[in-house]
Amino acid sequence: MGKRLLSCLLFFAMIITLSACSNQEEEQKAVQEVVQSYLTDCKNGDYKEADALLSEDADVSMNLTAFYEQLDDQLVNMDLGEDFDKEARKFVSAFMNKTFDQYKIDSTQIDNKEATALITLKGKDSEAFDVNSLQTELMNSVQTYMEENAESLEAYATEHTQEELEAKLYKDLSALVFGNMTKSLEDLPDTETNLKFTLKQEDGQWKINNIENTNEKH
């Protein structure tokens, strides 16, 4: 009787252990899916979807929606036309895409209702992108455009309104300037960054609470 009872207890213990392992694997998979979705959304510029994966008390600096709304406000205030706005947004999209070029989840660890995930991120070194250093080059390209197209612009001006001429200039120059900036972005050195994601459960769902660059020395 004693041996039979012991066998039953061992059997139930094994079931509980296997169940715990299964739940752990499911939770790890859920954590990985959240992190993967967040990185993919960042890469694709789907900022609202990315922000939806953040916890309620996540640092405001992680809020991408605020960044894009600020960009929209700046474009509205500048009022340089739809073509300029389009090229500006295209550049921001390229910037995010190149920064989040490749990523790999190295490990995940779960402790009750908190989890951590270690990520290796590969992409262009966005910190090396310096708009100020590009100003001279960009101004030179604009000057070259104006000189090389002086006659055609003058002819265009005689047949169109001042507003139409300005629209053409904004369209041509925005494509030129942001095109050069995109080229500079592509020429940036590649870099590898190690990130630590901290997640917590909110209403049964894993949410990202913090992202730390573990390459940085504190």
Side-chain angles (χ1 to χ4, degrees):
M1 183 68 178
K3 289 184 177 180
R4 185 177 180 182
L5 177 60
L6 180 60
S7 297
C8 288
L9 290 174
L10 290 174
F11 177 73
F12 283 118
M14 182 178 67
I15 291 177
I16 292 172
T17 301
L18 291 174
S19 176
C21 290
S22 176
N23 289 337
Q24 184 83 350
E25 290 177 358
E26 289 179 1
E27 292 298 334
Q28 285 184 335
K29 183 178 179 181
V31 167
Q32 291 172 0
E33 287 178 351
V34 170
V35 173
Q36 182 77 26
S37 295
Y38 179 82
L39 292 169
T40 301
D41 290 337
C42 289
K43 177 180 175 68
N44 295 335
D46 297 327
Y47 56 92
K48 291 183 179 179
E49 287 81 356
D51 283 350
L53 298 172
L54 301 178
S55 65
E56 292 183 358
D57 59 346
D59 193 284
V60 292
S61 63
M62 297 168 59
N63 191 308
L64 292 176
T65 301
F67 166 76
Y68 280 93
E69 287 178 347
Q70 185 179 27
L71 171 64
D72 288 339
D73 289 342
Q74 290 177 341
L75 292 176
V76 169
N77 292 333
M78 292 171 68
D79 192 24
L80 296 179
E82 292 183 4
D83 292 307
F84 182 90
D85 294 356
K86 178 182 176 181
E87 292 296 333
R89 292 191 177 95
K90 186 192 299 184
F91 171 75
V92 172
S93 177
F95 189 91
M96 297 296 287
N97 190 273
K98 294 295 183 181
T99 301
F100 292 85
D101 187 32
Q102 300 177 45
Y103 33 84
K104 179 171 67 75
I105 300 176
D106 298 315
S107 65
T108 55
Q109 184 174 350
I110 298 175
D111 183 10
N112 198 9
K113 292 188 177 182
E114 294 186 352
T116 57
L118 300 181
I119 313 298
T120 298
L121 173 67
K122 295 181 180 180
K124 293 299 181 180
D125 186 2
S126 58
E127 293 186 1
F129 188 82
D130 185 2
V131 176
N132 293 327
S133 66
L134 287 173
Q135 283 186 347
T136 301
E137 179 182 341
L138 294 176
M139 290 302 296
N140 288 339
S141 65
V142 170
Q143 183 66 28
T144 299
Y145 165 86
M146 298 298 292
E147 292 174 354
E148 292 180 349
N149 295 276
E151 291 185 8
S152 61
L153 289 173
E154 186 175 350
Y156 187 91
T158 60
E159 300 175 358
H160 297 80
T161 65
Q162 179 67 22
E163 185 176 296
E164 289 173 331
L165 175 62
E166 290 179 357
K168 174 177 172 53
L169 286 172
Y170 289 145
K171 179 179 181 179
D172 292 351
L173 292 177
S174 59
L176 175 65
V177 169
F178 285 113
N180 287 344
M181 289 175 65
T182 301
K183 177 63 168 58
S184 297
L185 173 64
E186 293 171 348
D187 291 340
L188 289 176
D190 295 324
T191 187
E192 183 173 295
T193 306
N194 296 311
L195 301 174
K196 178 182 178 181
F197 280 64
T198 303
L199 300 90
K200 61 188 296 187
Q201 280 199 342
E202 288 184 353
D203 299 326
Q205 300 292 322
W206 287 107
K207 297 289 185 177
I208 299 169
N209 182 248
N210 186 51
I211 302 175
E212 177 186 357
N213 181 352
T214 57
N215 288 3
E216 296 178 349
K217 296 181 179 180
H218 301 283

